[in-house]
Amino acid sequence: MRSGNPALKESTFLDLASGTVVRGADSMTLNGTVNKTGLLLVLSVITATFAWSQIQFTPEGPVGAMPYLLGGALGGLVFAFATVFKKEWAPVTAPLYAIVEGFFLGAISAMYNHRYEGIVLQAVLLTFGTLFALLFAYRSGLIRATENFKLGVVAATGGIALVYLASIVLGFFNIRIPMIHESGIVGIGFSLFVVVIAALNLVLDFDFIETGVEQGAPKYMEWYGAFGLMVTLVWLYVEFLRLLSKLQSRD
């Protein structure tokens, strides 16, 4: 049950003391996880819409965006870590994650859309189109989460994380990793690669959630599974924004 998503790791459905699956009278179901994923998406859309409406644009730049960007990103990180390390808290921390992450998404979406009109709608359609296409491929057996498939996706996800971490650290010293953040062929190719890996993480998430349902994980794991899927969808959406902005900047 390996997943590139750090929220959905191999030991998630195991009891830490005995190493056996925790089974309760009220167990995790697929429909329950789907419903909770939908609720998290609704919460994030509500706060994203609010954040978007609060941002104004002047010739000097956006006004009011920074509190939502920083607050949403840092708050989302805090609630994400809380959920990962105390999965029993997921019924509370997962909705809180969706709420604060919505502020971040609303702010960054407004900024992208101001510069490239219509890009947000395109990114949303591509994100959900990818979600449903991969869900269909997974359910129909066209894509199988084999062990080698999982290892490849996890390795690629870790490599991308290291590149982004290095980019952030170097940014403090005004050093940019050349080409990958630009709109040239290398930059677009890098973004395409990241989008593909983010999308393939959805397959691992589907497989992981399905395994939890089959093994009778506790009911609160529906919230945890929905949270993990939400993390991947947020990543995929942001990467689509980056890719589309690079493509449009070449026009």
Side-chain angles (χ1 to χ4, degrees), residues 145-215:
T146 64
E147 192 65 21
N148 287 336
F149 178 89
K150 295 175 184 179
L151 285 171
V153 175
V154 170
T157 303
I160 292 168
L162 289 176
V163 171
Y164 279 163
L165 179 61
S167 181
I168 292 172
V169 173
L170 291 174
F172 289 116
F173 303 96
N174 294 321
I175 301 174
R176 287 176 57 86
I177 298 178
M179 295 186 288
I180 65 171
H181 298 301
E182 300 170 3
S183 58
I185 298 299
V186 175
I188 291 174
F190 177 76
S191 286
L192 279 172
F193 173 74
V194 176
V195 164
V196 169
I197 297 304
L200 292 179
N201 268 277
L202 289 172
V203 176
L204 302 192
D205 296 344
F206 298 151
D207 179 71
F208 195 83
I209 292 170
E210 186 175 60
T211 301
V213 172
E214 291 174 354
Q215 294 190 357

Side-chain angles (χ1 to χ4, degrees), residues 11-95:
S11 62
T12 298
F13 297 114
L14 301 181
D15 180 81
L16 296 179
S18 64
T20 58
V21 175
V22 180
R23 294 183 181 275
D26 199 8
S27 300
M28 177 182 184
T29 66
L30 190 58
N31 285 340
T33 306
V34 170
N35 292 337
K36 289 171 176 60
T37 302
L39 178 58
L40 295 185
L41 288 171
V42 169
L43 291 174
S44 64
V45 168
I46 291 173
T47 53
T49 303
F50 174 79
W52 183 314
S53 68
Q54 299 303 302
I55 299 173
Q56 300 181 1
F57 295 92
T58 66
E60 291 75 26
V63 177
M66 198 54 64
Y68 295 105
L69 284 173
L70 291 180
L74 294 177
L77 191 63
V78 169
F79 288 121
F81 275 116
T83 308
V84 168
F85 289 108
K86 291 293 291 185
K87 52 187 178 291
E88 297 87 353
W89 295 354
V92 175
T93 56

Side-chain angles (χ1 to χ4, degrees), residues 12-13 21 39 42 45 71 113-114 116 119 121 124 131 152 162 170 179 223 235 241:
T12 298
F13 297 114
V21 175
L39 178 58
V42 169
V45 168
N113 200 70
H114 177 73
Y116 308 102
I119 193 175
L121 178 59
V124 169
L131 170 66
L162 289 176
L170 291 174
M179 295 186 288
W223 284 105
W235 179 30
L241 281 178

Side-chain angles (χ1 to χ4, degrees), residues 128-143 203 206:
F128 284 99
T130 301
L131 170 66
F132 291 120
L134 286 176
L135 180 59
F136 172 79
Y138 174 75
R139 298 296 294 176
S140 63
L142 294 175
I143 297 179
V203 176
F206 298 151

